Structure formats: C-alpha cells, structure tokens
Amino acid sequence: MAKSKEDYDDTLERLQIAIVDTQAWTIDNGRRTLIVFEGRDSAGKDGAIKRLTEYMSPRQTRVVALPKPTDRETTQWYFQRYVGHLPAAGETVILNRSWYNRGGVEPVMGFCTPAQHEQFLKDAPRFERMLADDGVTIIKLWLDISKDEQAKRLGERIEDPLKRFKVSSLDAEAQARWDAYSAARDRMLDETDSKHAPWSVVATDDKKTARLNIIRHILRTIGGPGAKVEAPDKAVVFSPAKNTDGLFR
C-alpha cells in the first residue's frame, strides 16, 4: 500500500515502465491479451484502465466500452457483437464492461429473460474456453466496493461537473438493488470462474491501492517481463473461490 502521494506516484511509474516492457514482449511474440473489467458502479474501472493504458502502445491497445445493443444486435447470438473486438496477434484489448452485463445488470434490471440469463451462465465458460484454447490470454477482474463507499462516490459524481459522463440513470438502482446485485454477482463468479479464464476480485475502497494491485496482477498473469513484478496484495486481489469473506455484501 502506498503510504503517501509520492510513494504512490513512484510505485505507479515503476509499474507503468513494467507495462511498457511487458507489452513490447507481447507484441514481439504475437501474443493476444484480453482484459475484462467488471464490477459494481463507481468501483473504479475507468480510473484503473486510465493508469494501466496511459503509456501503452496506442496502435496495439484498444479499450472497448460498447453501448446498449441495437434492435438488430438483440436478435443476434449474444456474444456476436464482441467477437469483432477480440485481439489479433500482438494486441491487448480491454473491455470496460463486457458480455458479463448478462451476468449482473441485465437479470437484475429485467433487461433479459431468466432463460437468457441461465443460457448465458452455461455459454460464457464455453465461449471463453474456445478463446483460451486458441491462445488468447484472458484476465477477468471484478472490482468490488462497500455499500457506504459506493454511496459516497455516486454522490460525488452528481456534484462534480467533470464527472458528468459518469452519471447514469441506473446509478440510483445500484444502492436500491444492492442485495440483488450481490446475489447475481455471487452466482456469476461461481459459475463462470474457470482454470482457463479465472476471476480475480479486487477490493477498491482505497482507489490507489486497488490500481497498483490491479496492474501487478495483470503483469504477473501476462508473464514475460511482467513476471518479475512483486505479487499483488492477497487482501486486495483474490480468487472468489478462495476468499468469499473478502466480498462486500
């Protein structure tokens, strides 16, 4: 954990240098990397992605944040709209929310049917297995936050004019449906965690500590030069199967 702003800045810079070195290695070796950022509203996905990608290659890095599906896309195979965004050789693709909308937001808000939700939970591990078997490195992160901290951050969004584009009509539902989101999250993590595409949960009440540990986890998972970075704090980044007490209820 960074003890001061100076410590944080120094550690972040060192990790960002490691990101540059590691991405150069993935490009040279034609590796394909897919990083999925999921989590509760206001858990810090945007901030973590910003620090992660700040010095990454703009040509070999893509951050994908898809809008709600069109009328035509709702009639397609559910994963179809994501396939075109998957990484080619040497590329890193970061999904700022992903197909896992159907594991959380959609069933909680009634945007999909129970049958569609059930089918998704069966299909997601199969889909990811195909990607992994074809050589794609899949890193899945669930960013979690306590209810009180979420309420604080959602309130700050409304008051800060620079956070205008973060405000959503669904923000109020995040608190009102807290328990429903918790139940959907628990089931999703349980049924879609796998050896070929494991989930890692990140405790994000301390944003800066979360960001540093997210980067450490990503680097260590990719390997190459990243394997030399210190391991993330197990109290901050952990497997849902091994530390369910770490989840914010």
Side-chain angles (χ1 to χ4, degrees):
M1 180 180 293
K3 296 180 180 179
S4 67
K5 184 180 185 302
E6 183 177 355
D7 290 337
Y8 169 76
D9 290 342
D10 289 345
T11 303
L12 178 61
E13 181 179 17
R14 178 170 55 81
L15 290 172
Q16 288 176 326
I17 291 171
I19 291 171
V20 172
D21 290 342
T22 301
Q23 186 176 34
W25 176 78
T26 65
I27 292 170
D28 289 343
N29 288 277
R31 294 176 65 99
R32 292 172 288 165
T33 308
L34 178 66
I35 306 173
V36 175
F37 276 83
E38 288 287 348
R40 291 192 189 266
D41 289 338
S42 76
K45 292 180 291 296
D46 293 341
I49 292 171
K50 180 179 179 180
R51 274 70 180 184
L52 173 67
T53 60
E54 189 171 4
Y55 299 105
M56 292 180 72
S57 167
R59 292 183 178 179
Q60 301 297 109
T61 308
R62 285 182 285 118
V63 178
V64 179
L66 296 183
K68 68 178 183 180
T70 64
D71 290 343
R72 181 174 182 273
E73 286 173 332
T74 59
T75 69
Q76 296 174 339
W77 175 50
Y78 180 70
F79 296 92
Q80 187 169 336
R81 69 196 298 248
Y82 296 98
V83 170
H85 298 284
L86 295 174
E91 291 183 344
T92 299
V93 171
I94 298 165
L95 298 182
N96 187 348
R97 293 202 181 277
S98 66
W99 44 82
Y100 282 103
N101 280 333
R102 183 146 290 181
V105 174
E106 290 189 19
V108 170
M109 295 302 300
F111 296 156
C112 69
T113 67
Q116 288 173 327
H117 180 216
E118 294 293 332
Q119 190 64 49
F120 168 80
L121 293 174
K122 295 177 182 178
D123 288 345
R126 299 169 182 166
F127 176 61
E128 292 167 357
R129 181 59 183 264
M130 287 190 292
L131 299 182
D133 285 349
D134 199 54
V136 178
T137 298
I138 305 172
I139 303 172
K140 300 191 302 189
L141 299 166
W142 175 269
L143 278 58
D144 220 327
I145 187 173
S146 66
K147 189 174 184 180
D148 288 345
E149 180 64 19
Q150 184 189 64
K152 175 185 174 184
R153 293 184 190 177
L154 291 174
E156 290 172 349
R157 283 183 179 181
I158 297 173
E159 297 173 359
D160 188 345
L162 293 177
K163 295 182 179 180
R164 176 177 179 180
F165 296 118
K166 288 182 175 288
V167 177
S168 165
S169 59
L170 296 179
D171 284 352
E173 301 296 338
Q175 288 275 296
R177 301 180 188 244
W178 179 271
D179 291 341
Y181 274 115
S182 294
R185 173 207 61 199
D186 291 350
R187 186 177 178 199
M188 181 192 76
L189 294 177
D190 181 58
E191 298 195 26
T192 63
D193 186 47
S194 63
K195 290 183 179 180
H196 55 271
W199 277 106
S200 292
V201 178
V202 185
T204 67
D205 272 18
D206 185 321
K207 286 183 179 181
K208 291 183 177 180
T209 298
R211 290 168 186 165
L212 297 179
N213 282 280
I214 286 170
I215 295 173
R216 290 184 182 113
H217 172 71
I218 289 171
L219 287 168
R220 298 264 296 196
T221 304
I222 292 173
K228 300 176 183 178
V229 171
E230 65 271 20
D233 186 337
K234 293 181 180 180
V236 180
V237 181
F238 51 87
S239 166
K242 295 181 180 179
N243 192 354
T244 55
D245 291 339
L247 295 174
F248 292 113
R249 302 294 171 183

